Structure formats: structure tokens, C-alpha cells
Amino acid sequence: MAEELNERSQNILEAIVEDYISSAEPIGSRAITRRHDFNLSPATVRNVMADLEEMGFLCSPHTSAGRIPTAQGFQYYIDSLLQIRDLSKQEKSRLRNSYRFSGMKLEDIMQEVGRVMSGLSKYTGLVMAPKFSSTVFRQIEFVRLSKGRLLVIYVSESGLVQNKIIEADQTLDDRQLEQISNFLNKELTGLSIQEVRKKLSAELTEERVLYDRLRKQALSLSCAALQDEVENQIYVSGASLMLEQPEFSSPQQMKRLIQTLESKKMLIELLDRSQNAQGVQIFIGSESSSIDLEGYSLITSNFSNQKGAIGTLGVIGPVRMDYSQVIPIVDFTAQLVSRVLEREIE
Amino acid sequence: MAEELNERSQNILEAIVEDYISSAEPIGSRAITRRHDFNLSPATVRNVMADLEEMGFLCSPHTSAGRIPTAQGFQYYIDSLLQIRDLSKQEKSRLRNSYRFSGMKLEDIMQEVGRVMSGLSKYTGLVMAPKFSSTVFRQIEFVRLSKGRLLVIYVSESGLVQNKIIEADQTLDDRQLEQISNFLNKELTGLSIQEVRKKLSAELTEERVLYDRLRKQALSLSCAALQDEVENQIYVSGASLMLEQPEFSSPQQMKRLIQTLESKKMLIELLDRSQNAQGVQIFIGSESSSIDLEGYSLITSNFSNQKGAIGTLGVIGPVRMDYSQVIPIVDFTAQLVSRVLEREIE
DNA sequence: TGTTAGCACTCAGCATAGTCGAGTGCTAAC
DNA sequence: GTTAGCACTCGACTATGCTGAGTGCTAACA
């Protein structure tokens, strides 16, 4: 439908979007002709702009202001006009050098990634650690707390450490616990959590379980430990940087932004959506979306190692975001993190 | 110096502070006489207020506004005038019921505590997990990542799980690692980290180490694992609640607040200070303080189990904070958390 | 001597009115 | 199809005046 834009209209829309991205203020027809070499008079530009408004790409905050792109306008810009140039080698190495991952555990890496992305983009960085169920089993350990209560520590191939408290009916002694964890570590290493779950439920119904008490205990313990979905960890960094953006200069907007960034559940849901996609994804906030993201844009990409533990990282900012700058940052960072995670297990 | 306040001045100061706490606006002499039964005329109150201003307890934002308490005024109020009533049984049980700790691991408890304190107080909750070096050794496990890199998982008596990546010179196989962790778990369980460190450095210089390769490896590994201070984890919750307070209604103040709450390092340093104190502590932000806490007040208390793993929790809010409400909340919550932690290890 | 009433003064907050500039839509001419 | 001209709109800013809450000072009172 929107493809019918002729070249001149495209050029003007592009100019408006880009000027608006850098100025955050409504763009008037004269401003366009002054800043770009279209060899057109303001009046002509006005006509085109009126058409673009008709088509839903622009809107004017009030009669005598310039125009600003709508969400649809940005969408069109991103889909058809934006040229994402690859990063130069220099930029890549500069980016690489921004990160210092050496000797960091996974949690620290996540945090650092968010911080750096935020600093580079001037918006807010979001990083979601690999989903529990998408990780690959490496090791499990049990630590006895008070009577009947066990601390389970689970380590994935990618070095993700998670712990959980479970209730164990029987009072097992340390020796038995050790046997159990040895048994599980031998049986389950290298399987994905999904596979582990399948295996466990299959075995639990098998006959021989009845005859092997240890095996039974091991299975039911690990079932309890690995059953529930662990709430995803999400790292948000650089909220205060984003407050510098003019769209968040009013107290109401600031409050709303902080509330948005504080509601981790919502952010997790949001990042979850791009979990299955490949490459960079862009969400432009609009009223229609089920999640209230109006006024914000989200650029995400996934990272993973060969074994497929998948996490998501990205940058959230105003719709008026410098896409040409942020997209390569997110893209390259995701690749970088993937490579680091692969090195971990090598 | 400030003790020379006569009763009438005290009453008036108290009235001003309390009215200011509830209204957040400068208090005038007439407002005082209207709202309180001092049997004094506004003029008399004015005289007293002028004296109080002279002494540094009050100040006026401009000539013809009412007066607001200075930091010193609040300090005096807290030290000499504030009556902290104990919580009634009902309130205590209501508070207790706000928390749902069952089956939660330590991280979740910390988070939950912050959330609830924030919700109850309408300010921002801060919780700092027990300091690494104040914990008691319970168990250590090693997981091999890539060549030469080990993931160390450390569990304290209170159920705190921490992990770290260390470089190990030798390539140890799984069997050896298991022997090493068994050895360490036998030797170190029940010791505080300080004791562990002392023991390690003592043993490393002992002669017999030379003859026992396994022992040597174990010691040097655990040394590497437990040597550095792990950065403290801090949980901040309810920032957006605090934005509702009138002192943070201007964009500048909002930005500053968010920046303050984002700078975890600073908050950790702040909470660290009260780590060694007993009972509830109150910091009133003033310009003089080395840490920029101007305009904020911080109420903290420590929690611990018998073994002495100590963490700190508290509430940060505007200086104009409802102390009589927040202090009991912080106090009782700290006791509650201590009790929960003790039950963990029972 | 401590307390009070009266009075002139101050000042933030608010509303009103006027100006300016950037921008628009429309029309007519090129 | 493009452009110049023109009347119009409207937000942002400034100046102005008014109001109300509050103050300090002085003089009178108990």
C-alpha cells in the first residue's frame, strides 16, 4: 500500500525523518529546503508534505507547527529508506575494545553489555540472560539447608549459575546427596533442559525405578529442581542517560519512562518475543500493540552459543531514535557476545 | 548547644516539622496557630520562629514564604522530639503477612524485602546482601569451562550462592577437581571467610604442602577463588513510587534522583557505613557529607543470623520523610529477615 | 517582661494581554 | 507541475497587574 511513494516523496520523507531524529522538533517546509538541496521551493515541499500527512506518514502537533513523522512514517523509513551501513573495521575494533569480558562470569558480562550499549547509544540497554529452558545441562549440586530443605545449584554449559530451594521429603545425608548428584551429572550432562525433562518423566514411569531407591530419589529431586521455569533475569542500564532526551523532559514522561523500565515483567515479555527471531529486530511503539510501548522503540538481537542457549539484548529508546547508529551496535554486540559465550565452553 | 530549647520552642519546632512532613510546603505562623492548640497568637509564634531560624533549625525559601526545617532541624526533631512508638501486634502481623518468603532463595528474599518496604513506605527500598567476607563457608564446587578456566561456586551458611571464574594453571581433570572440592569442604566448613583466608595463607607456607600435590592445588585454587572481595549485590526497588513525592516533581530533581539510585557503588558505600552499627540508623543528607546525599534521608538496619552473616536493608526518601512510620518498618523488617535467615540453617 | 494587634512590605503564583516568529493552506501566476 | 504571495494560526515568550499568604517591626496591653 505504501509502496506507491514516488522518489521525490521518499526523499522528502527521509529528510524529515532524519532532521527530526537529530532535532527532536517539528520540521517545517522551509527548514527542509534550507537544509537539503532538493531545488524545490518550500511551497512545493508543503504540497508533498500534505500528501504524506494524508497517507499517514506525518502529522502536525498543531496547525502552525512543522510536521513530525508518525510511527507509520518511521516504520516506512526503516523498511524502505534506511541504509544500514556495515561497521568499518575501525568501528568494530573500537566497539570490541569497549567491552572487557576477560575473567567475567556470565552475570557480569550481561551487566557490562547493557552498560556499554547504553553508553554508546545514549539510550537504555536491556539484556536478558539465556532462558533457563533453553540452556544445556552441565552440572547440578545439592546443598542441605535446614531439615528437608535443599539448595539446588544448577550450572549450564554457558556458565549460567542458577539456584533454587526445594523441599525434599526424606532426610538425605550428605553422602546420599553426593551419590545422587554424581548420578545425575553422569546421566544428564550435554542434554538440553527440554531433553532432560523428557528423559526424567520417561524414566520415572519406567519399571526399574521401583527397584532402585537411589535412582528414584535422584529423579524426583531433579524433577523438582528443574521443573519450574525460573524467572528470567533482566539487566537494565542507563535509565538516567535516556532522561536527557527531550521527549522525556516533562515530569510525566519521566515518570512513565521510569515505570516502564522498572516493570521487569513487561520488559521480559517484550524481549521474549524476539527470542525466536533471527538477526536484528525492531519494534516501534504504537498504541495498537498489546504492550504499552507507545513512544518507545526497541531494537533487539539474540545471542547464543553453538549449543543454542539463547539470550536477548537490545536498546530501548524514543521512537525518534538514531537507528542508523543503534542497529549496528546491537547487531555487532550480539555477535560479540555469542563469540564470547562460545569461547567459554570451547 | 541545641539543648537550650525551652518547651514552647520545642513544641513549635515539632509542630512545624510534622506539618511540613505531611504538607511538603513552607509553614507559616498562622497555619501553626490554626492547626495546633498552643493558645498563642501568630505574632508570638513568629517571634519563636525567628529565634529558631537564628539557631539554624529553620530557614525560609524567600522573604514572604513560611519556614521549612533545615537538616539540623530534622536532626533535632529525630534526636529529641520524635517518639517512635512500638508497633502493635496487629501491625506486626500485618507487616509479617506482607512478606512471603516461603521457598524463596536468598536473592529472591532480598528482592522481595526491598519491594515490600518500598510499597509500605512509599519511598525506595534498598537491600544489600550479606557481604562476602562476613559469610560463613559451607560448600565450594568447581566446574570446568574452557581449558584452564574454572567456574567456582561458593555457598555460604545462609544460602548465599556466588560464582566466579578463575584461571587455573594446570589442566585438572574432573576426578581431581572432585577430590579437591571434597578436601576443601571437609576442611573449611563452618569457618568464616576471614578465618578461611587466614587458614589458607598459614597452610600454604607450611612444609607438608610441598609433599602433597593435591593439597597444594586445593589450597591455591581456593585462594584464588576466595581472595578478592566480590562486589556487593544491591537491590533497589520502588524508584517510581518516590517520583510521586513533591520534592522530586521537577525534571532536574527527578534526574538527580534516578542518577543517585542508579549509582549502585555509591549506595553500597552508603549502606556499608551502617554495617557495623547496631539497630536502626538514620542519615540525613546534608551538603557537608562526603557522599552527595543532599535532600535525601536514609534509614537503615542490619540483619544477620547467629553465625553473623550481615546484610543491610533500609529505605531512602526525601529528608521530609515520615520517620515515625518508616523507622518501625525498617526495624521490624530487619528483625524479620534475621529470623528467616536463622531458620534457613536451623 | 512577655504577649498581642496592627500595619506596611515582600514575593511567588496566576491570569491577562500583546508581540514575535515559524509554519500553514490557498490562490493565482508562471 | 511549480512557485510567489498572502492571510491566518498558534505556541513561546514577555510584560503587567492582582491576590494571598507570610513576614518584621512597632506600639500597646496584662
Side-chain angles (χ1 to χ4, degrees):
Chain A
M1 47 143 217
E3 306 307 315
E4 329 147 6
L5 283 189
N6 62 36
E7 201 182 326
R8 194 174 66 183
S9 304
Q10 287 194 350
N11 288 338
I12 289 179
L13 178 56
E14 187 175 1
I16 293 174
V17 171
E18 283 172 4
D19 285 8
Y20 181 66
I21 283 178
S22 65
S23 77
E25 263 159 30
I27 309 296
S29 53
R30 263 205 67 202
I32 294 267
T33 56
R34 236 184 298 122
R35 230 181 321 229
H36 299 82
D37 256 2
F38 288 139
N39 281 327
L40 290 176
S41 76
T44 312
V45 173
R46 274 207 287 283
N47 289 329
V48 176
M49 285 166 84
D51 294 347
L52 289 171
E53 181 163 3
E54 183 85 12
M55 288 187 269
F57 294 124
L58 300 178
C59 66
S60 28
H62 57 86
T63 330
S64 75
R67 286 182 169 86
I68 58 179
T70 59
Q72 191 192 334
F74 274 104
Q75 191 74 61
Y76 186 88
Y77 170 76
I78 292 168
D79 293 343
S80 314
L81 307 174
L82 177 64
Q83 322 225 14
I84 309 160
R85 66 188 197 332
D86 261 3
L87 292 172
S88 70
K89 287 218 167 160
Q90 288 165 354
E91 288 173 307
K92 281 186 182 176
S93 81
R94 197 176 52 84
L95 202 54
R96 216 189 320 263
N97 290 334
S98 302
Y99 296 99
R100 331 215 134 272
F101 292 145
S102 60
M104 274 190 174
K105 57 186 179 180
L106 193 63
E107 286 97 317
D108 295 340
I109 292 178
M110 305 285 100
Q111 191 114 27
E112 169 80 354
V113 165
R115 240 190 321 249
V116 171
M117 279 197 307
S118 164
L120 291 173
S121 67
K122 307 291 177 209
Y123 306 122
T124 298
L126 301 178
V127 184
M128 190 170 70
K131 233 184 168 171
F132 179 63
S133 61
S134 76
T135 59
V136 174
F137 187 97
R138 171 122 199 186
Q139 192 158 334
I140 198 165
E141 293 293 336
F142 299 94
V143 178
R144 272 199 304 154
L145 298 176
S146 59
K147 251 182 211 160
R149 307 180 62 235
L150 283 179
L151 179 70
V152 191
I153 300 170
Y154 162 80
V155 185
S156 79
E157 282 289 0
S158 50
L160 182 72
V161 179
Q162 278 181 333
N163 65 86
K164 187 181 167 187
I165 289 175
I166 60 173
E167 310 282 340
D169 308 334
Q170 305 96 337
T171 48
L172 298 156
D173 64 23
D174 288 351
R175 176 142 205 109
Q176 286 171 304
L177 278 180
E178 204 182 310
Q179 287 177 326
I180 289 177
S181 60
N182 280 343
F183 167 72
L184 289 173
N185 287 331
K186 211 169 290 167
E187 292 278 307
L188 304 178
T189 297
L191 300 180
S192 77
I193 290 293
Q194 278 108 331
E195 289 169 328
V196 167
R197 286 187 186 140
K198 212 181 290 175
K199 180 163 182 168
L200 289 177
S201 65
E203 294 224 359
L204 265 172
T205 55
E206 249 184 52
E207 278 180 67
R208 60 172 159 157
V209 168
L210 295 172
Y211 306 104
D212 188 341
R213 184 158 161 275
L214 180 71
R215 193 182 190 88
K216 184 178 175 188
Q217 282 179 334
L219 292 175
S220 68
L221 266 192
S222 57
C223 243
L226 302 175
Q227 198 160 43
D228 309 338
E229 200 51 53
V230 178
E231 202 180 293
N232 265 356
Q233 190 71 21
I234 193 165
Y235 301 88
V236 178
S237 37
S240 57
L241 264 180
M242 195 128 92
L243 293 179
E244 303 293 333
Q245 297 295 328
E247 27 268 283
F248 307 113
S249 62
S250 84
Q252 294 83 9
Q253 288 306 315
M254 280 197 186
K255 255 188 237 175
R256 182 164 166 255
L257 174 63
I258 300 301
Q259 279 165 4
T260 304
L261 295 180
E262 238 184 10
S263 59
K264 309 265 159 118
K265 279 220 179 107
M266 190 266 240
L267 295 178
I268 288 173
E269 200 185 323
L270 213 52
L271 291 186
D272 246 6
R273 292 187 182 183
S274 63
Q275 185 111 125
N276 297 319
Q278 276 269 284
V280 175
Q281 285 218 296
I282 303 171
F283 299 92
I284 296 178
S286 66
E287 309 148 49
S288 58
S289 161
S290 63
I291 289 182
D292 180 27
L293 202 68
E294 200 189 334
Y296 305 122
S297 271
L298 178 63
I299 298 178
T300 65
S301 188
N302 293 320
F303 56 88
S304 59
N305 55 28
Q306 298 123 327
K307 301 250 185 161
I310 287 179
T312 305
L313 54 79
V315 167
I316 188 169
V319 174
R320 181 194 63 78
M321 197 194 263
D322 189 346
Y323 295 92
S324 66
Q325 194 214 355
V326 177
I327 291 173
I329 291 178
V330 170
D331 190 18
F332 189 65
T333 299
Q335 293 173 31
L336 218 58
V337 173
S338 296
R339 230 169 302 154
V340 170
L341 288 188
E342 275 168 25
R343 212 178 312 143
E344 297 278 309
I345 56 169
E346 205 146 73
Chain B
M1 46 144 217
E3 307 307 315
E4 327 148 8
L5 283 190
N6 61 37
E7 201 183 328
R8 193 174 68 181
S9 306
Q10 287 194 350
N11 287 339
I12 289 178
L13 179 56
E14 188 176 1
I16 293 174
V17 171
E18 284 172 1
D19 284 9
Y20 181 65
I21 283 177
S22 65
S23 77
E25 264 160 28
I27 309 296
S29 52
R30 262 204 68 204
I32 294 270
T33 55
R34 236 185 297 124
R35 230 181 321 231
H36 298 83
D37 256 1
F38 290 138
N39 280 329
L40 292 176
S41 77
T44 311
V45 173
R46 274 206 288 282
N47 289 329
V48 176
M49 286 166 84
D51 294 347
L52 288 170
E53 180 163 8
E54 183 87 11
M55 289 188 268
F57 294 123
L58 300 178
C59 67
S60 30
H62 56 86
T63 329
S64 74
R67 287 185 170 85
I68 58 179
T70 59
Q72 191 192 332
F74 273 104
Q75 190 75 61
Y76 185 88
Y77 169 76
I78 290 166
D79 293 343
S80 313
L81 306 175
L82 178 62
Q83 320 224 18
I84 309 160
R85 66 186 200 331
D86 261 3
L87 292 173
S88 69
K89 289 218 165 160
Q90 287 165 355
E91 287 173 307
K92 281 187 183 178
S93 81
R94 198 174 52 85
L95 201 53
R96 214 190 319 263
N97 290 334
S98 302
Y99 296 99
R100 331 214 134 272
F101 291 145
S102 61
M104 274 191 176
K105 57 185 180 182
L106 192 63
E107 287 96 316
D108 294 339
I109 292 179
M110 307 283 100
Q111 191 114 24
E112 169 80 355
V113 166
R115 244 194 313 253
V116 172
M117 281 197 306
S118 164
L120 292 173
S121 67
K122 306 291 177 209
Y123 306 122
T124 297
L126 301 177
V127 184
M128 189 169 70
K131 234 184 167 173
F132 179 62
S133 62
S134 75
T135 59
V136 174
F137 186 98
R138 172 125 199 185
Q139 190 158 334
I140 198 166
E141 295 293 336
F142 299 94
V143 178
R144 273 198 306 153
L145 298 177
S146 59
K147 252 183 213 159
R149 309 180 61 233
L150 283 179
L151 179 70
V152 190
I153 299 171
Y154 163 80
V155 185
S156 79
E157 282 288 1
S158 50
L160 182 71
V161 179
Q162 277 179 331
N163 66 86
K164 190 182 165 186
I165 289 176
I166 61 174
E167 309 281 340
D169 308 335
Q170 306 97 336
T171 48
L172 298 156
D173 64 24
D174 288 351
R175 173 142 206 110
Q176 286 171 304
L177 278 180
E178 203 183 311
Q179 287 175 329
I180 290 177
S181 59
N182 281 342
F183 168 72
L184 288 173
N185 286 330
K186 211 170 287 166
E187 291 277 307
L188 303 178
T189 298
L191 300 179
S192 77
I193 289 294
Q194 278 109 330
E195 289 169 328
V196 167
R197 285 185 186 142
K198 213 181 289 175
K199 181 163 181 166
L200 288 176
S201 66
E203 294 223 1
L204 265 173
T205 55
E206 249 183 53
E207 279 179 70
R208 63 173 157 152
V209 168
L210 295 172
Y211 303 105
D212 188 343
R213 185 157 161 274
L214 179 71
R215 194 183 188 87
K216 186 177 173 188
Q217 284 179 333
L219 291 175
S220 69
L221 266 191
S222 56
C223 243
L226 302 174
Q227 198 159 41
D228 309 338
E229 200 51 53
V230 178
E231 203 180 292
N232 266 355
Q233 191 71 21
I234 193 165
Y235 302 87
V236 179
S237 37
S240 56
L241 264 180
M242 199 131 86
L243 293 177
E244 302 293 334
Q245 298 294 328
E247 27 269 283
F248 306 112
S249 62
S250 84
Q252 294 83 11
Q253 288 305 316
M254 281 197 185
K255 256 189 235 175
R256 183 165 166 255
L257 174 64
I258 299 302
Q259 278 166 4
T260 304
L261 294 180
E262 237 184 10
S263 59
K264 309 267 158 118
K265 280 221 177 106
M266 191 265 239
L267 294 178
I268 288 172
E269 201 184 323
L270 213 52
L271 291 186
D272 247 5
R273 291 188 183 182
S274 63
Q275 185 111 126
N276 297 319
Q278 278 269 285
V280 175
Q281 286 219 294
I282 302 171
F283 298 92
I284 296 178
S286 65
E287 309 151 48
S288 59
S289 161
S290 63
I291 291 182
D292 180 28
L293 202 66
E294 202 189 333
Y296 306 121
S297 271
L298 178 62
I299 299 178
T300 64
S301 188
N302 293 319
F303 56 87
S304 59
N305 55 27
Q306 298 123 327
K307 301 251 183 160
I310 287 179
T312 305
L313 55 79
V315 167
I316 189 169
V319 173
R320 180 193 65 79
M321 197 194 262
D322 189 348
Y323 295 93
S324 65
Q325 194 214 354
V326 177
I327 291 173
I329 291 178
V330 170
D331 191 18
F332 188 66
T333 299
Q335 292 172 31
L336 217 58
V337 173
S338 297
R339 229 169 302 154
V340 171
L341 289 188
E342 275 166 25
R343 211 177 315 144
E344 296 279 308
I345 58 170
E346 209 147 67

